[in-house]
DNA sequence: TGCCAGGCTGATA
DNA sequence: TATCAGCCTGGC
């Protein structure tokens, strides 16, 4: 069990920021997270955050996954005080972090996310994991399914994943799995590239457009310069920044700012 | 019942 | 280069 002081970290905000589709709240208020082939339970109590894993696993994997070595206060402090909209957004989402998620899993997840809603995205991912992923048992006895590797999907007919409710996105996932499994596309090379290079490379994948590429850059490659523009963000830019969003001010971490905005748009009316 | 959602592809002009 | 229809499906 690992216990840390809750400092600019809010597991509920992270879960609801929409960057991870395999993070769910249990009836007891604790959060279960499945990442690639790993499972962890996380909860908050009395100003502390608890991670149900051994210290070694925490240091080697989860600390990086939750980006706990990064000081997010500096990003929040950089927000223009005169920008009321962004100041409110940061105030509401001050526990958000940009996760370091597994690359292949993010490629597939954001292929599925297009023209889709969160409930259905979660179900699609759960379906393909149960059908094509490896069954695992966590240390506390919880059964879960690892995310299927590209090799498990590459030989399927292009419409096979329609059974898992992917709809027309089925062929996108199968073709990408083929490209990865046969070595035509080497995901690991993306880590050493700049944001622009990685995005360009990702656009070569069938079914990956600008928005999906930006999401993969941000949530898997941790290129925090990436600023995914979806319909929500586009509306915000049109409504609050008609004369242009100050990208120059937030150069180098615009993606973090994008997450504050995205979370704010989904939750500002709930508080 | 019909619209639309966290887009993308491919055809057409 | 820009525009637009079509695509799966389920919640509202």
């Amino acid at each position: 069990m690992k216990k840390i002081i809750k400092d600019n970290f809010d597991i509920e905000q992270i879960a609801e920021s929409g960057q991870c589709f395999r993070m769910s709240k249990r009836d007891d208020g604790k959060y279960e997270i499945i990442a690639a082939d790993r499972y962890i339970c996380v909860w908050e109590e009395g100003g502390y955050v608890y991670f149900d894993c051994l210290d070694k696993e925490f240091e080697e994997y989860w600390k990086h996954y939750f980006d706990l070595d990064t000081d997010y206060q500096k990003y929040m402090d950089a927000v223009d005080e005169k920008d009321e909209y962004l100041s409110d957004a940061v105030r509401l989402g001050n526990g958000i972090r940009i996760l370091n998620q597994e690359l292949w899993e993010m490629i597939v997840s954001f292929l599925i996310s297009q023209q889709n809603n969160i409930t259905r995205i979660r179900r699609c991912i759960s379906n393909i994991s149960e059908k094509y992923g490896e069954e695992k048992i966590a240390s506390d006895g919880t059964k879960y399914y690892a995310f299927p590797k590209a090799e498990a999907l590459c030989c399927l007919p292009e419409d096979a994943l329609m059974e898992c409710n992917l709809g027309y996105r089925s062929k996108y996932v199968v073709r990408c799995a083929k490209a990865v499994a046969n070595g035509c596309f080497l995901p690991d090379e993306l880590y050493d590239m700049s944001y622009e290079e990685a995005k360009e490379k990702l656009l070569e994948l069938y079914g990956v457009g600008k928005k999906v590429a930006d999401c993969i850059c941000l949530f898997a490659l941790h290129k925090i310069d990436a600023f995914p523009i979806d319909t929500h963000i586009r509306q915000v830019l049109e409504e609050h920044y008609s004369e242009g969003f100050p990208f120059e001010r937030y150069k180098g971490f615009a993606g973090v700012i994008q997450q504050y905005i995205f979370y704010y748009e989904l939750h500002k009316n709930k508080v």
Side-chain angles (χ1 to χ4, degrees):
Chain A
M1 181 82 69
K2 184 71 184 179
K3 172 182 171 184
I4 65 164
I5 296 173
K6 177 177 154 50
D7 185 19
N8 292 335
F9 183 98
D10 189 312
I11 190 66
E12 186 169 356
Q13 287 181 11
I14 294 169
E16 295 187 6
S17 66
Q19 56 182 304
C20 177
F21 301 110
R22 302 191 85 191
M23 188 178 285
S24 53
K25 193 176 189 178
R26 303 196 316 203
D27 291 341
D28 60 4
K30 296 179 179 179
Y31 284 83
E32 306 183 304
I33 297 111
I34 303 171
D37 61 350
R38 294 169 187 263
Y39 170 97
I40 193 171
C41 185
V42 179
W43 67 95
E44 295 179 9
E45 203 175 309
Y48 291 94
V49 186
Y50 294 85
F51 298 84
D52 190 11
C53 65
L54 298 173
D55 281 3
K56 186 170 184 289
E57 188 183 3
F58 179 81
E59 291 298 329
E60 290 177 355
Y61 189 83
W62 295 110
K63 190 175 176 182
H64 175 66
Y65 178 88
F66 287 108
D67 203 24
L68 292 172
D69 280 332
T70 301
D71 172 19
Y72 277 69
Q73 190 61 48
K74 70 182 179 200
Y75 300 136
M76 293 189 273
D77 289 345
V79 168
D80 184 355
E81 290 177 1
K82 293 192 286 294
D83 187 335
E84 287 185 25
Y85 174 82
L86 207 46
S87 297
D88 287 345
V90 166
R91 211 170 292 123
L92 188 71
N94 63 5
I96 289 173
R97 283 171 180 267
I98 307 294
L99 303 179
N100 285 288
Q101 302 184 79
E102 203 272 328
L103 181 52
W104 168 243
E105 184 173 344
M106 288 302 98
I107 292 173
V108 176
S109 297
F110 285 103
L111 278 172
I112 293 172
S113 78
Q114 59 183 269
Q115 200 70 9
N116 213 338
N117 59 64
I118 292 179
T119 308
R120 190 165 158 229
I121 297 166
R122 289 184 193 278
R123 189 158 57 240
C124 289
I125 292 170
S126 173
N127 288 344
I128 62 172
S129 298
E130 284 184 28
K131 194 165 171 70
Y132 299 103
E134 189 183 344
E135 184 178 318
K136 300 272 201 180
I137 305 291
S139 57
D140 65 358
T142 303
K143 186 172 86 172
Y144 67 100
Y145 292 89
F147 194 82
K149 297 184 186 311
E151 289 74 13
L153 305 174
C154 67
C155 298
L156 299 173
E158 291 195 347
D159 61 354
L161 299 177
M162 285 183 165
E163 281 183 15
C164 299
N165 287 81
L166 269 69
Y168 68 90
R169 307 162 195 85
S170 174
K171 61 179 180 293
Y172 296 166
V173 174
V174 173
R175 283 203 208 177
C176 285
K178 276 192 174 70
V180 170
N182 67 21
C184 289
F185 187 88
L186 300 168
D188 286 345
E189 289 185 343
L190 301 175
Y191 288 105
D192 296 326
M193 295 180 185
S194 67
Y195 157 53
E196 290 79 8
E197 290 169 337
K199 182 175 178 179
E200 195 68 28
K201 191 71 185 169
L202 282 163
L203 288 171
E204 292 176 7
L205 287 171
Y206 184 61
V208 174
K210 289 179 185 175
K211 190 267 177 180
V212 169
D214 271 332
C215 286
I216 297 166
C217 283
L218 184 57
F219 302 126
L221 300 171
H222 213 72
K223 311 286 187 194
I224 60 171
D225 226 3
F227 190 93
I229 298 178
D230 56 38
T231 51
H232 289 136
I233 299 294
R234 183 169 292 111
Q235 281 173 15
V236 170
L237 297 184
E238 288 170 1
E239 187 177 339
H240 297 277
Y241 301 95
S242 55
E243 294 180 11
F245 185 78
F247 284 107
E248 200 54 39
R249 182 184 179 101
Y250 305 114
K251 194 170 175 54
F253 59 98
V256 180
I257 302 297
Q258 190 269 9
Q259 274 293 279
Y260 292 132
I261 295 174
F262 188 82
Y263 180 82
Y264 185 60
E265 282 303 302
L266 288 185
H267 297 86
K268 63 184 179 186
N269 296 324
K270 296 179 183 173
V271 292

